[in-house]
Amino acid sequence: MVDGCVFCGIARGEIEAEVVRDEGEVMAFRDKEPGAPVHVLVIPKEHVGSLAEIGRLPEGTAKRLFEVAHMVAEDEGISDSGYAFRINNGPDAGQEVAHLHAHVVGGRRLGMP
Ligand code: AMP
């Protein structure tokens, strides 16, 4: 838990969010400003700021994050049509929230980047 971290607050149930999966060490909730028909964020509940710190997560949490992302895609009906799994890491990628999170985005044709 990091004071002032909005995603830590969501993980602890102290800040409201539309949670779609709570899988122990990993949680998924809807992005408050969705960029596509499906836009869900998947986070480790334990605070790590970015991919640079991913080694601090307990064994298996990163794998679980990938698995939960795909479960969300299945729940949302976009696992066959396809979806993006995206981590914005650092300023040039536009990372706004300094708590590692992956976007699961789909429900329409997506482009790169
Ligand atoms: P980024 O750090 O660029 O990967 O994106 C952060 C994402 O978090 C943005 O898409 C925001 O809309 C989303 N976001 C920020 N605060 C909240 C919140 N309280 N609940 C849900 N989504 C949020």
Side-chain angles (χ1 to χ4, degrees):
M1 172 72 182
V2 167
D3 276 352
C5 172
V6 64
F7 288 178
C8 284
I10 290 171
R12 291 165 65 94
E14 295 169 358
I15 293 175
E16 205 172 314
E18 191 181 341
V19 176
V20 296
R21 282 234 168 218
D22 187 344
E23 297 289 328
E25 70 271 35
V26 173
M27 179 183 264
F29 54 90
R30 295 197 193 282
D31 196 292
K32 69 174 184 181
E33 290 176 22
V38 175
H39 190 167
V40 172
L41 302 175
V42 188
I43 64 164
K45 288 186 187 174
E46 183 165 330
H47 185 92
V48 291
S50 72
L51 285 172
E53 299 169 14
I54 199 167
R56 290 185 9 212
L57 288 175
E59 186 81 28
T61 300
K63 176 171 176 272
R64 194 69 184 139
L65 192 145
F66 277 72
E67 290 171 342
V68 170
H70 191 69
M71 288 178 192
V72 168
E74 287 180 328
D75 293 345
E76 298 289 325
I78 57 168
S79 58
D80 290 337
S81 54
Y83 62 93
F85 174 84
R86 174 171 175 155
I87 295 174
N88 294 326
N89 201 71
D92 275 359
Q95 183 179 3
E96 293 169 9
V97 178
H99 180 128
L100 180 65
H101 55 281
H103 299 250
V104 175
V105 185
R108 67 167 167 79
R109 196 79 176 178
L110 301 164
M112 277 287 279

